[in-house]
Amino acid sequence: MNRTFISVAPQVMPFSFGEEPSNYGDSTAVQCMVFKGDTPLQLHWTLNGQPITNEHAGIRIIKMSPKLSSLSIDAINGHHRGTYKCIANNAAGSAEQIAELLVNGGCAEY
């Protein structure tokens, strides 16, 4: 008997930083959860199109499980504002969700 395994592409749960802009010094966190899709999966985060690593000032990414990743910021400032994207990839395809982090006052700091 031949068995054919069909790989299922990931689907990512939407996430949000909330409807109100954050203030300098506030904390925030979001989670990227793959609710459908086969493992193994790769989960990646970007900010304004650039990959985020744990070397980014003040941003921490923790892989909670094979289908869950957490991004947190302890003290928001100008260089944290922008579009965050979570990308999930597996052998069958990829999926992504985005959320905008708005920050009150000041200019972006680079």
Side-chain angles (χ1 to χ4, degrees):
M1 174 190 286
N2 288 339
R3 291 185 181 200
T4 303
F5 293 98
I6 300 171
S7 191
V8 176
Q11 292 184 32
V12 179
M13 185 78 67
F15 62 91
S16 171
F17 290 102
E19 299 194 14
E20 297 293 320
S22 296
N23 295 311
Y24 277 66
D26 285 355
S27 297
T28 192
V30 290
Q31 292 185 336
C32 178
M33 184 178 89
V34 176
F35 64 92
K36 269 189 185 171
D38 290 334
T39 56
L41 286 164
Q42 293 80 41
L43 293 173
H44 309 279
W45 291 91
T46 64
L47 170 56
N48 299 324
Q50 299 300 312
I52 299 173
T53 64
N54 277 323
E55 286 77 47
H56 270 77
I59 300 175
R60 174 178 279 173
I61 296 170
I62 299 172
K63 186 174 183 180
M64 311 292 281
S65 74
K67 293 186 173 188
L68 180 64
S69 177
S70 173
L71 180 146
S72 63
I73 303 171
D74 287 334
I76 294 170
N77 62 48
H79 72 267
H80 294 126
R81 77 167 38 93
T83 303
Y84 288 78
K85 183 186 296 186
C86 175
I87 305 159
N89 297 300
N90 70 9
S94 67
E96 59 188 46
Q97 288 290 338
I98 62 169
E100 188 80 14
L101 177 60
L102 303 174
V103 180
N104 279 325
C107 298
E109 299 169 7
Y110 294 100

